[in-house]
Short mmCIF file of all heavy atoms in Angstrom, two decimals:
data_model
loop_
_atom_site.label_atom_id
_atom_site.label_comp_id
_atom_site.label_asym_id
_atom_site.label_seq_id
_atom_site.Cartn_x
_atom_site.Cartn_y
_atom_site.Cartn_z
N SER A 1 2.05 4.18 9.06
CA SER A 1 2.51 5.40 8.54
C SER A 1 2.75 5.38 7.03
O SER A 1 2.63 6.38 6.35
CB SER A 1 3.82 5.85 9.23
OG SER A 1 4.87 4.91 9.06
N LEU A 2 3.03 4.23 6.50
CA LEU A 2 3.16 4.04 5.06
C LEU A 2 1.82 4.43 4.34
O LEU A 2 1.86 5.11 3.34
CB LEU A 2 3.55 2.56 4.70
CG LEU A 2 3.60 2.29 3.23
CD1 LEU A 2 4.56 3.04 2.47
CD2 LEU A 2 3.82 0.81 3.01
N MET A 3 0.76 3.93 4.89
CA MET A 3 -0.51 4.21 4.29
C MET A 3 -0.86 5.73 4.33
O MET A 3 -1.42 6.28 3.41
CB MET A 3 -1.64 3.37 4.85
CG MET A 3 -1.53 1.90 4.58
SD MET A 3 -1.45 1.48 2.81
CE MET A 3 0.06 0.69 2.64
N ARG A 4 -0.50 6.39 5.42
CA ARG A 4 -0.72 7.82 5.51
C ARG A 4 0.08 8.55 4.39
O ARG A 4 -0.44 9.53 3.81
CB ARG A 4 -0.27 8.35 6.88
CG ARG A 4 -1.36 8.11 7.93
CD ARG A 4 -1.07 8.88 9.25
NE ARG A 4 0.24 8.47 9.90
CZ ARG A 4 0.32 7.43 10.73
NH1 ARG A 4 -0.69 6.75 11.08
NH2 ARG A 4 1.50 7.22 11.24
N GLU A 5 1.34 8.13 4.18
CA GLU A 5 2.08 8.71 3.08
C GLU A 5 1.48 8.58 1.75
O GLU A 5 1.38 9.48 0.94
CB GLU A 5 3.48 8.08 3.03
CG GLU A 5 4.76 8.78 3.45
CD GLU A 5 4.72 10.25 3.76
OE1 GLU A 5 4.47 10.65 4.82
OE2 GLU A 5 5.05 10.97 2.81
N LEU A 6 1.01 7.36 1.42
CA LEU A 6 0.37 7.06 0.18
C LEU A 6 -0.94 7.94 0.07
O LEU A 6 -1.23 8.41 -1.05
CB LEU A 6 -0.01 5.56 0.06
CG LEU A 6 1.23 4.71 -0.03
CD1 LEU A 6 0.73 3.21 -0.15
CD2 LEU A 6 2.12 5.00 -1.21
N THR A 7 -1.62 8.11 1.11
CA THR A 7 -2.80 8.96 1.13
C THR A 7 -2.49 10.37 0.75
O THR A 7 -3.11 10.98 -0.12
CB THR A 7 -3.53 8.99 2.53
OG1 THR A 7 -3.87 7.62 2.85
CG2 THR A 7 -4.73 9.86 2.53
N LYS A 8 -1.36 10.95 1.26
CA LYS A 8 -0.94 12.30 0.98
C LYS A 8 -0.41 12.41 -0.43
O LYS A 8 -0.74 13.34 -1.12
CB LYS A 8 0.12 12.74 1.95
CG LYS A 8 -0.41 13.12 3.34
CD LYS A 8 0.63 13.80 4.14
CE LYS A 8 1.82 12.94 4.48
NZ LYS A 8 2.77 13.53 5.41
N TRP A 9 0.43 11.48 -0.84
CA TRP A 9 1.09 11.54 -2.12
C TRP A 9 0.10 11.39 -3.30
O TRP A 9 0.22 12.03 -4.30
CB TRP A 9 2.10 10.44 -2.27
CG TRP A 9 3.46 10.70 -1.48
CD1 TRP A 9 3.74 11.80 -0.72
CD2 TRP A 9 4.50 9.81 -1.42
NE1 TRP A 9 4.99 11.63 -0.17
CE2 TRP A 9 5.49 10.42 -0.60
CE3 TRP A 9 4.79 8.59 -1.97
CZ2 TRP A 9 6.72 9.83 -0.26
CZ3 TRP A 9 5.98 7.99 -1.66
CH2 TRP A 9 6.95 8.60 -0.81
N TYR A 10 -0.80 10.39 -3.14
CA TYR A 10 -1.64 10.04 -4.30
C TYR A 10 -3.12 10.30 -4.12
O TYR A 10 -3.92 9.97 -5.00
CB TYR A 10 -1.41 8.50 -4.63
CG TYR A 10 0.04 8.20 -4.93
CD1 TYR A 10 0.83 7.51 -4.03
CD2 TYR A 10 0.56 8.59 -6.13
CE1 TYR A 10 2.08 7.17 -4.33
CE2 TYR A 10 1.93 8.25 -6.45
CZ TYR A 10 2.70 7.56 -5.54
OH TYR A 10 3.98 7.26 -5.77
N GLY A 11 -3.49 10.85 -2.97
CA GLY A 11 -4.92 11.19 -2.79
C GLY A 11 -5.74 9.91 -2.64
O GLY A 11 -6.91 9.91 -3.14
N LEU A 12 -5.19 8.83 -2.07
CA LEU A 12 -5.96 7.57 -1.95
C LEU A 12 -6.72 7.52 -0.65
O LEU A 12 -6.42 8.08 0.40
CB LEU A 12 -4.96 6.42 -1.98
CG LEU A 12 -4.07 6.25 -3.16
CD1 LEU A 12 -3.05 5.17 -2.97
CD2 LEU A 12 -4.96 5.97 -4.41
N ASN A 13 -7.86 6.83 -0.72
CA ASN A 13 -8.60 6.42 0.50
C ASN A 13 -8.29 4.97 0.82
O ASN A 13 -8.60 4.10 -0.05
CB ASN A 13 -10.10 6.58 0.23
CG ASN A 13 -10.49 8.07 0.03
OD1 ASN A 13 -10.08 8.88 0.79
ND2 ASN A 13 -11.28 8.30 -0.99
N VAL A 14 -7.59 4.76 1.90
CA VAL A 14 -7.20 3.38 2.22
C VAL A 14 -8.21 2.67 3.10
O VAL A 14 -8.74 3.18 4.05
CB VAL A 14 -5.84 3.41 2.96
CG1 VAL A 14 -5.34 2.00 3.38
CG2 VAL A 14 -4.77 4.17 2.08
N HIS A 15 -8.50 1.45 2.68
CA HIS A 15 -9.41 0.52 3.42
C HIS A 15 -8.72 -0.76 3.72
O HIS A 15 -8.13 -1.44 2.85
CB HIS A 15 -10.64 0.21 2.55
CG HIS A 15 -11.32 1.46 2.03
ND1 HIS A 15 -12.24 2.16 2.80
CD2 HIS A 15 -11.25 2.06 0.80
CE1 HIS A 15 -12.65 3.21 2.03
NE2 HIS A 15 -12.08 3.15 0.86
N PHE A 16 -8.65 -1.18 4.95
CA PHE A 16 -8.03 -2.39 5.37
C PHE A 16 -9.09 -3.52 5.36
O PHE A 16 -10.00 -3.48 6.20
CB PHE A 16 -7.37 -2.26 6.75
CG PHE A 16 -6.22 -1.34 6.70
CD1 PHE A 16 -6.44 0.01 7.12
CD2 PHE A 16 -4.99 -1.79 6.38
CE1 PHE A 16 -5.37 0.88 7.10
CE2 PHE A 16 -3.92 -0.87 6.34
CZ PHE A 16 -4.09 0.43 6.73
N VAL A 17 -8.91 -4.50 4.50
CA VAL A 17 -9.86 -5.61 4.36
C VAL A 17 -9.63 -6.50 5.55
O VAL A 17 -10.62 -7.01 6.12
CB VAL A 17 -9.63 -6.33 3.05
CG1 VAL A 17 -10.54 -7.55 2.99
CG2 VAL A 17 -9.87 -5.46 1.90
N ASP A 18 -8.37 -6.66 5.95
CA ASP A 18 -8.01 -7.51 7.17
C ASP A 18 -7.43 -6.54 8.20
O ASP A 18 -6.38 -5.90 7.92
CB ASP A 18 -6.95 -8.56 6.74
CG ASP A 18 -7.39 -9.50 5.62
OD1 ASP A 18 -8.56 -9.87 5.64
OD2 ASP A 18 -6.60 -9.77 4.81
N ASN A 19 -8.00 -6.57 9.34
CA ASN A 19 -7.48 -5.67 10.45
C ASN A 19 -6.08 -5.91 10.81
O ASN A 19 -5.33 -5.04 11.20
CB ASN A 19 -8.44 -5.70 11.66
CG ASN A 19 -9.65 -4.89 11.53
OD1 ASN A 19 -9.66 -3.92 10.83
ND2 ASN A 19 -10.74 -5.26 12.09
N GLU A 20 -5.64 -7.20 10.76
CA GLU A 20 -4.30 -7.55 11.05
C GLU A 20 -3.21 -6.79 10.26
O GLU A 20 -2.12 -6.53 10.72
CB GLU A 20 -4.04 -9.00 11.00
CG GLU A 20 -4.08 -9.53 9.57
CD GLU A 20 -4.37 -11.00 9.46
OE1 GLU A 20 -5.29 -11.48 10.16
OE2 GLU A 20 -3.66 -11.67 8.65
N VAL A 21 -3.59 -6.44 9.10
CA VAL A 21 -2.62 -5.70 8.13
C VAL A 21 -2.25 -4.38 8.74
O VAL A 21 -1.20 -3.88 8.48
CB VAL A 21 -3.26 -5.64 6.73
CG1 VAL A 21 -2.35 -4.84 5.82
CG2 VAL A 21 -3.55 -7.03 6.17
N LYS A 22 -3.13 -3.76 9.49
CA LYS A 22 -2.87 -2.44 10.09
C LYS A 22 -1.62 -2.53 10.98
O LYS A 22 -0.93 -1.52 11.15
CB LYS A 22 -4.06 -1.98 10.91
CG LYS A 22 -5.26 -1.63 10.15
CD LYS A 22 -6.31 -1.11 11.16
CE LYS A 22 -7.63 -0.81 10.38
NZ LYS A 22 -8.66 -0.37 11.29
N ASN A 23 -1.31 -3.62 11.48
CA ASN A 23 -0.19 -3.86 12.41
C ASN A 23 1.11 -4.27 11.75
O ASN A 23 2.19 -4.45 12.42
CB ASN A 23 -0.52 -4.79 13.54
CG ASN A 23 -1.70 -4.33 14.40
OD1 ASN A 23 -1.77 -3.19 14.73
ND2 ASN A 23 -2.65 -5.23 14.63
N TYR A 24 1.13 -4.51 10.45
CA TYR A 24 2.32 -4.93 9.78
C TYR A 24 3.33 -3.74 9.82
O TYR A 24 2.92 -2.56 9.66
CB TYR A 24 1.99 -5.28 8.28
CG TYR A 24 1.32 -6.57 8.12
CD1 TYR A 24 0.86 -7.40 9.18
CD2 TYR A 24 1.07 -7.07 6.81
CE1 TYR A 24 0.26 -8.61 8.99
CE2 TYR A 24 0.42 -8.24 6.63
CZ TYR A 24 -0.01 -9.01 7.72
OH TYR A 24 -0.64 -10.17 7.41
N HIS A 25 4.58 -4.08 9.86
CA HIS A 25 5.62 -3.11 9.98
C HIS A 25 6.47 -3.15 8.68
O HIS A 25 6.92 -4.21 8.23
CB HIS A 25 6.51 -3.37 11.18
CG HIS A 25 7.60 -2.37 11.36
ND1 HIS A 25 7.37 -1.09 11.83
CD2 HIS A 25 8.92 -2.51 11.10
CE1 HIS A 25 8.51 -0.48 11.89
NE2 HIS A 25 9.54 -1.30 11.44
N PHE A 26 6.63 -2.01 8.04
CA PHE A 26 7.45 -1.88 6.82
C PHE A 26 8.63 -1.03 7.10
O PHE A 26 8.53 -0.04 7.77
CB PHE A 26 6.62 -1.27 5.65
CG PHE A 26 5.41 -2.08 5.35
CD1 PHE A 26 4.20 -1.81 5.87
CD2 PHE A 26 5.54 -3.13 4.42
CE1 PHE A 26 3.03 -2.57 5.55
CE2 PHE A 26 4.38 -3.86 4.05
CZ PHE A 26 3.17 -3.57 4.63
N THR A 27 9.76 -1.39 6.55
CA THR A 27 10.91 -0.52 6.62
C THR A 27 11.48 -0.32 5.23
O THR A 27 11.20 -1.12 4.23
CB THR A 27 12.06 -1.16 7.48
OG1 THR A 27 12.46 -2.44 6.93
CG2 THR A 27 11.61 -1.39 8.92
N GLY A 28 12.29 0.70 5.02
CA GLY A 28 12.89 0.99 3.73
C GLY A 28 12.58 2.41 3.29
O GLY A 28 11.93 3.16 4.04
N ARG A 29 13.08 2.75 2.14
CA ARG A 29 12.86 4.07 1.57
C ARG A 29 11.91 3.96 0.44
O ARG A 29 12.03 3.03 -0.41
CB ARG A 29 14.21 4.64 1.03
CG ARG A 29 15.03 5.20 2.09
CD ARG A 29 16.27 5.83 1.47
NE ARG A 29 15.91 7.23 1.15
CZ ARG A 29 16.86 8.10 0.87
NH1 ARG A 29 18.12 7.75 0.85
NH2 ARG A 29 16.53 9.34 0.62
N LEU A 30 11.05 4.92 0.30
CA LEU A 30 10.07 4.96 -0.79
C LEU A 30 10.38 6.18 -1.65
O LEU A 30 10.75 7.28 -1.18
CB LEU A 30 8.67 5.11 -0.31
CG LEU A 30 8.09 3.91 0.42
CD1 LEU A 30 6.67 4.26 0.83
CD2 LEU A 30 7.99 2.73 -0.60
N GLU A 31 10.26 6.04 -2.94
CA GLU A 31 10.30 7.14 -3.85
C GLU A 31 8.88 7.39 -4.42
O GLU A 31 8.13 6.37 -4.54
CB GLU A 31 11.25 6.92 -4.99
CG GLU A 31 12.67 6.80 -4.61
CD GLU A 31 13.62 6.69 -5.77
OE1 GLU A 31 13.30 7.22 -6.80
OE2 GLU A 31 14.62 6.01 -5.69
N ARG A 32 8.61 8.59 -4.71
CA ARG A 32 7.25 8.88 -5.26
C ARG A 32 7.37 8.68 -6.77
O ARG A 32 8.10 9.35 -7.45
CB ARG A 32 6.90 10.37 -4.92
CG ARG A 32 5.54 10.66 -5.21
CD ARG A 32 5.19 12.01 -4.70
NE ARG A 32 3.78 12.35 -5.00
CZ ARG A 32 3.22 13.48 -4.68
NH1 ARG A 32 3.89 14.38 -4.00
NH2 ARG A 32 2.00 13.71 -5.03
N TYR A 33 6.52 7.78 -7.22
CA TYR A 33 6.51 7.46 -8.69
C TYR A 33 5.25 8.06 -9.28
O TYR A 33 4.24 8.24 -8.60
CB TYR A 33 6.44 5.90 -8.85
CG TYR A 33 7.77 5.31 -8.40
CD1 TYR A 33 7.86 4.70 -7.16
CD2 TYR A 33 8.80 5.14 -9.33
CE1 TYR A 33 9.01 4.09 -6.74
CE2 TYR A 33 9.99 4.59 -8.91
CZ TYR A 33 10.07 4.03 -7.62
OH TYR A 33 11.24 3.36 -7.26
N GLN A 34 5.30 8.36 -10.55
CA GLN A 34 4.19 8.79 -11.28
C GLN A 34 3.01 7.74 -11.27
O GLN A 34 1.89 8.03 -11.11
CB GLN A 34 4.54 9.08 -12.77
CG GLN A 34 5.39 10.24 -12.96
CD GLN A 34 4.55 11.50 -13.08
OE1 GLN A 34 3.37 11.47 -13.25
NE2 GLN A 34 5.20 12.63 -12.99
N ASP A 35 3.42 6.47 -11.37
CA ASP A 35 2.41 5.38 -11.50
C ASP A 35 2.25 4.71 -10.12
O ASP A 35 3.17 4.02 -9.60
CB ASP A 35 2.96 4.35 -12.51
CG ASP A 35 2.00 3.21 -12.71
OD1 ASP A 35 0.86 3.24 -12.16
OD2 ASP A 35 2.38 2.24 -13.39
N THR A 36 1.11 4.96 -9.53
CA THR A 36 0.81 4.45 -8.20
C THR A 36 0.97 2.92 -8.18
O THR A 36 1.46 2.30 -7.27
CB THR A 36 -0.59 4.86 -7.78
OG1 THR A 36 -0.76 6.24 -7.96
CG2 THR A 36 -0.88 4.48 -6.34
N ARG A 37 0.42 2.34 -9.22
CA ARG A 37 0.40 0.84 -9.36
C ARG A 37 1.85 0.26 -9.25
O ARG A 37 2.06 -0.73 -8.64
CB ARG A 37 -0.27 0.41 -10.64
CG ARG A 37 -0.50 -1.03 -10.78
CD ARG A 37 -1.76 -1.44 -10.04
NE ARG A 37 -1.41 -2.47 -9.06
CZ ARG A 37 -2.02 -2.85 -8.04
NH1 ARG A 37 -3.20 -2.39 -7.83
NH2 ARG A 37 -1.64 -3.81 -7.28
N PHE A 38 2.79 0.96 -9.84
CA PHE A 38 4.17 0.48 -9.82
C PHE A 38 4.68 0.40 -8.37
O PHE A 38 5.28 -0.59 -7.92
CB PHE A 38 5.10 1.49 -10.63
CG PHE A 38 6.53 1.03 -10.66
CD1 PHE A 38 6.95 -0.05 -11.45
CD2 PHE A 38 7.43 1.74 -9.87
CE1 PHE A 38 8.29 -0.36 -11.42
CE2 PHE A 38 8.80 1.39 -9.91
CZ PHE A 38 9.23 0.27 -10.66
N LEU A 39 4.42 1.45 -7.61
CA LEU A 39 4.86 1.46 -6.17
C LEU A 39 4.17 0.38 -5.39
O LEU A 39 4.73 -0.30 -4.60
CB LEU A 39 4.62 2.87 -5.56
CG LEU A 39 4.96 3.03 -4.12
CD1 LEU A 39 6.44 2.75 -3.88
CD2 LEU A 39 4.58 4.35 -3.63
N LEU A 40 2.87 0.26 -5.62
CA LEU A 40 2.11 -0.81 -4.90
C LEU A 40 2.65 -2.21 -5.22
O LEU A 40 2.70 -3.06 -4.33
CB LEU A 40 0.58 -0.67 -5.22
CG LEU A 40 -0.11 0.61 -4.77
CD1 LEU A 40 -1.50 0.60 -5.20
CD2 LEU A 40 0.00 0.79 -3.20
N ASP A 41 2.98 -2.48 -6.47
CA ASP A 41 3.55 -3.73 -6.86
C ASP A 41 4.88 -4.02 -6.15
O ASP A 41 5.10 -5.14 -5.74
CB ASP A 41 3.71 -3.82 -8.43
CG ASP A 41 2.43 -3.92 -9.10
OD1 ASP A 41 1.36 -4.23 -8.51
OD2 ASP A 41 2.41 -3.64 -10.38
N ILE A 42 5.68 -3.03 -6.05
CA ILE A 42 6.99 -3.15 -5.33
C ILE A 42 6.69 -3.59 -3.86
O ILE A 42 7.33 -4.47 -3.34
CB ILE A 42 7.82 -1.88 -5.35
CG1 ILE A 42 8.34 -1.67 -6.81
CG2 ILE A 42 9.02 -1.98 -4.45
CD1 ILE A 42 9.04 -0.29 -7.01
N ILE A 43 5.84 -2.85 -3.18
CA ILE A 43 5.50 -3.13 -1.79
C ILE A 43 4.94 -4.54 -1.68
O ILE A 43 5.30 -5.30 -0.76
CB ILE A 43 4.53 -2.06 -1.23
CG1 ILE A 43 5.15 -0.71 -1.24
CG2 ILE A 43 4.12 -2.48 0.19
CD1 ILE A 43 4.25 0.41 -0.96
N ALA A 44 3.99 -4.93 -2.54
CA ALA A 44 3.36 -6.25 -2.50
C ALA A 44 4.41 -7.38 -2.69
O ALA A 44 4.32 -8.41 -2.04
CB ALA A 44 2.27 -6.34 -3.49
N GLU A 45 5.37 -7.16 -3.56
CA GLU A 45 6.35 -8.18 -3.86
C GLU A 45 7.32 -8.43 -2.67
O GLU A 45 7.86 -9.48 -2.52
CB GLU A 45 7.19 -7.82 -5.09
CG GLU A 45 6.47 -8.02 -6.39
CD GLU A 45 7.31 -7.69 -7.62
OE1 GLU A 45 8.56 -7.71 -7.47
OE2 GLU A 45 6.69 -7.29 -8.64
N THR A 46 7.51 -7.44 -1.87
CA THR A 46 8.47 -7.56 -0.77
C THR A 46 7.78 -7.64 0.61
O THR A 46 8.39 -7.53 1.64
CB THR A 46 9.37 -6.27 -0.75
OG1 THR A 46 8.58 -5.12 -0.61
CG2 THR A 46 10.13 -6.23 -1.98
N SER A 47 6.51 -7.87 0.60
CA SER A 47 5.73 -7.94 1.92
C SER A 47 4.70 -9.01 1.89
O SER A 47 4.51 -9.70 0.81
CB SER A 47 5.20 -6.56 2.24
OG SER A 47 4.24 -6.19 1.30
N LYS A 48 3.89 -9.05 2.89
CA LYS A 48 2.78 -10.04 2.94
C LYS A 48 1.42 -9.36 2.76
O LYS A 48 0.47 -9.67 3.38
CB LYS A 48 2.75 -10.72 4.28
CG LYS A 48 4.04 -11.48 4.64
CD LYS A 48 3.96 -12.09 5.92
CE LYS A 48 4.80 -11.21 6.94
NZ LYS A 48 4.81 -11.75 8.23
N VAL A 49 1.34 -8.46 1.77
CA VAL A 49 0.10 -7.80 1.49
C VAL A 49 -0.26 -7.80 0.03
O VAL A 49 0.59 -8.00 -0.81
CB VAL A 49 0.09 -6.28 2.00
CG1 VAL A 49 0.20 -6.19 3.48
CG2 VAL A 49 1.15 -5.47 1.27
N GLU A 50 -1.55 -7.61 -0.22
CA GLU A 50 -2.05 -7.46 -1.59
C GLU A 50 -2.87 -6.22 -1.64
O GLU A 50 -3.56 -5.86 -0.65
CB GLU A 50 -2.93 -8.68 -1.96
CG GLU A 50 -2.26 -9.93 -2.07
CD GLU A 50 -3.16 -11.07 -2.45
OE1 GLU A 50 -4.39 -10.94 -2.68
OE2 GLU A 50 -2.66 -12.22 -2.49
N PHE A 51 -2.83 -5.57 -2.80
CA PHE A 51 -3.57 -4.33 -2.97
C PHE A 51 -4.57 -4.42 -4.14
O PHE A 51 -4.31 -5.12 -5.09
CB PHE A 51 -2.61 -3.14 -3.32
CG PHE A 51 -1.53 -2.85 -2.28
CD1 PHE A 51 -0.25 -3.23 -2.44
CD2 PHE A 51 -1.96 -2.12 -1.18
CE1 PHE A 51 0.70 -2.94 -1.49
CE2 PHE A 51 -0.96 -1.87 -0.15
CZ PHE A 51 0.28 -2.23 -0.33
N THR A 52 -5.70 -3.83 -3.96
CA THR A 52 -6.64 -3.69 -5.01
C THR A 52 -6.98 -2.18 -5.09
O THR A 52 -7.27 -1.56 -4.11
CB THR A 52 -7.96 -4.42 -4.69
OG1 THR A 52 -7.69 -5.81 -4.47
CG2 THR A 52 -8.94 -4.29 -5.87
N LEU A 53 -6.72 -1.66 -6.28
CA LEU A 53 -6.87 -0.22 -6.47
C LEU A 53 -8.01 0.03 -7.45
O LEU A 53 -8.01 -0.52 -8.57
CB LEU A 53 -5.62 0.36 -7.10
CG LEU A 53 -5.53 1.88 -7.27
CD1 LEU A 53 -5.75 2.66 -5.95
CD2 LEU A 53 -4.21 2.30 -7.91
N SER A 54 -9.03 0.85 -7.04
CA SER A 54 -10.20 1.10 -7.82
C SER A 54 -10.41 2.63 -7.75
O SER A 54 -10.89 3.09 -6.71
CB SER A 54 -11.41 0.32 -7.32
OG SER A 54 -12.53 0.68 -8.09
N GLY A 55 -10.05 3.31 -8.81
CA GLY A 55 -10.05 4.73 -8.71
C GLY A 55 -9.12 5.25 -7.72
O GLY A 55 -7.94 4.92 -7.75
N ASN A 56 -9.58 5.97 -6.70
CA ASN A 56 -8.69 6.38 -5.62
C ASN A 56 -8.95 5.61 -4.36
O ASN A 56 -8.52 5.99 -3.24
CB ASN A 56 -8.84 7.92 -5.34
CG ASN A 56 -10.17 8.28 -4.75
OD1 ASN A 56 -11.19 7.54 -4.94
ND2 ASN A 56 -10.22 9.38 -4.02
N GLN A 57 -9.62 4.41 -4.44
CA GLN A 57 -9.90 3.58 -3.31
C GLN A 57 -8.93 2.48 -3.36
O GLN A 57 -8.78 1.72 -4.34
CB GLN A 57 -11.34 2.95 -3.43
CG GLN A 57 -12.40 4.06 -3.52
CD GLN A 57 -12.47 5.01 -2.37
OE1 GLN A 57 -12.42 4.56 -1.19
NE2 GLN A 57 -12.53 6.26 -2.65
N LEU A 58 -8.12 2.36 -2.30
CA LEU A 58 -7.11 1.39 -2.13
C LEU A 58 -7.46 0.33 -1.04
O LEU A 58 -7.73 0.75 0.15
CB LEU A 58 -5.75 2.07 -1.78
CG LEU A 58 -4.57 1.03 -1.57
CD1 LEU A 58 -4.27 0.23 -2.82
CD2 LEU A 58 -3.41 1.76 -1.09
N TYR A 59 -7.62 -0.89 -1.36
CA TYR A 59 -8.00 -1.93 -0.50
C TYR A 59 -6.70 -2.80 -0.18
O TYR A 59 -5.98 -3.22 -1.10
CB TYR A 59 -9.12 -2.81 -1.00
CG TYR A 59 -10.31 -2.03 -1.31
CD1 TYR A 59 -10.58 -1.42 -2.55
CD2 TYR A 59 -11.24 -1.91 -0.33
CE1 TYR A 59 -11.61 -0.71 -2.81
CE2 TYR A 59 -12.40 -1.09 -0.56
CZ TYR A 59 -12.57 -0.53 -1.81
OH TYR A 59 -13.73 0.24 -2.05
N VAL A 60 -6.46 -2.98 1.10
CA VAL A 60 -5.26 -3.69 1.56
C VAL A 60 -5.68 -4.90 2.34
O VAL A 60 -6.47 -4.85 3.20
CB VAL A 60 -4.38 -2.77 2.48
CG1 VAL A 60 -3.07 -3.45 2.82
CG2 VAL A 60 -4.17 -1.42 1.87
N LYS A 61 -5.06 -6.10 1.92
CA LYS A 61 -5.39 -7.28 2.65
C LYS A 61 -4.13 -8.18 2.69
O LYS A 61 -3.10 -7.93 2.06
CB LYS A 61 -6.53 -8.12 1.95
CG LYS A 61 -6.16 -8.62 0.62
CD LYS A 61 -7.34 -9.39 0.05
CE LYS A 61 -6.95 -10.09 -1.32
NZ LYS A 61 -7.93 -10.97 -1.73
N SER A 62 -4.22 -9.20 3.60
CA SER A 62 -3.18 -10.10 3.72
C SER A 62 -2.91 -10.91 2.43
O SER A 62 -3.92 -11.31 1.83
CB SER A 62 -3.40 -11.09 4.84
OG SER A 62 -3.41 -10.48 6.09
N ALA A 63 -1.69 -11.19 2.08
CA ALA A 63 -1.38 -11.93 0.86
C ALA A 63 -1.62 -13.46 1.14
O ALA A 63 -1.36 -13.86 2.22
CB ALA A 63 0.08 -11.71 0.42
N GLN A 64 -2.17 -14.03 0.19
CA GLN A 64 -2.42 -15.57 0.26
C GLN A 64 -1.26 -16.27 -0.36
O GLN A 64 -1.33 -16.76 -1.47
CB GLN A 64 -3.73 -15.87 -0.38
CG GLN A 64 -4.94 -15.13 0.13
CD GLN A 64 -5.18 -15.36 1.61
OE1 GLN A 64 -5.11 -16.43 2.06
NE2 GLN A 64 -5.40 -14.24 2.33
N ARG A 65 -0.14 -16.42 0.35
CA ARG A 65 0.97 -17.07 -0.26
C ARG A 65 1.31 -18.35 0.44
O ARG A 65 1.02 -18.64 1.44
CB ARG A 65 2.24 -16.10 -0.16
CG ARG A 65 2.04 -14.88 -0.89
CD ARG A 65 3.22 -14.00 -0.86
NE ARG A 65 2.85 -12.82 -1.47
CZ ARG A 65 3.68 -11.75 -1.68
NH1 ARG A 65 4.85 -11.81 -1.32
NH2 ARG A 65 3.25 -10.67 -2.27
#
């Protein structure tokens, strides 16, 4: 549902590089920021995902930590 929100808010096309990421569960409150990258960085720092943003294409994969 998080990715659906980002799609609506920022007009992104989300692509899951790793299918397992689709099943990750996120909790918390999100604010809509002007800078998409800022929001993605916050999510990545507090979860096990990495994002690659190219134009309006957002690629989501498991973090290598």
Side-chain angles (χ1 to χ4, degrees):
S1 63
L2 172 64
M3 293 302 121
R4 280 192 299 273
E5 250 347 91
L6 294 179
T7 298
K8 286 192 296 187
W9 286 358
Y10 300 108
L12 300 174
N13 294 313
V14 178
H15 307 278
F16 293 96
V17 177
D18 302 319
N19 280 330
E20 67 202 43
V21 176
K22 290 180 183 180
N23 298 318
Y24 287 4
H25 182 75
F26 299 93
T27 60
R29 279 184 91 163
L30 289 177
E31 292 187 32
R32 190 172 179 181
Y33 293 94
Q34 289 274 348
D35 183 5
T36 310
R37 188 80 237 166
F38 180 76
L39 178 60
L40 295 175
D41 288 345
I42 290 172
I43 297 168
E45 285 182 24
T46 60
S47 63
K48 298 180 260 181
V49 295
E50 291 180 4
F51 298 105
T52 303
L53 184 60
S54 178
N56 70 335
Q57 305 301 310
L58 177 63
Y59 300 89
V60 186
K61 68 177 187 173
S62 294
Q64 305 299 316
R65 297 184 188 181

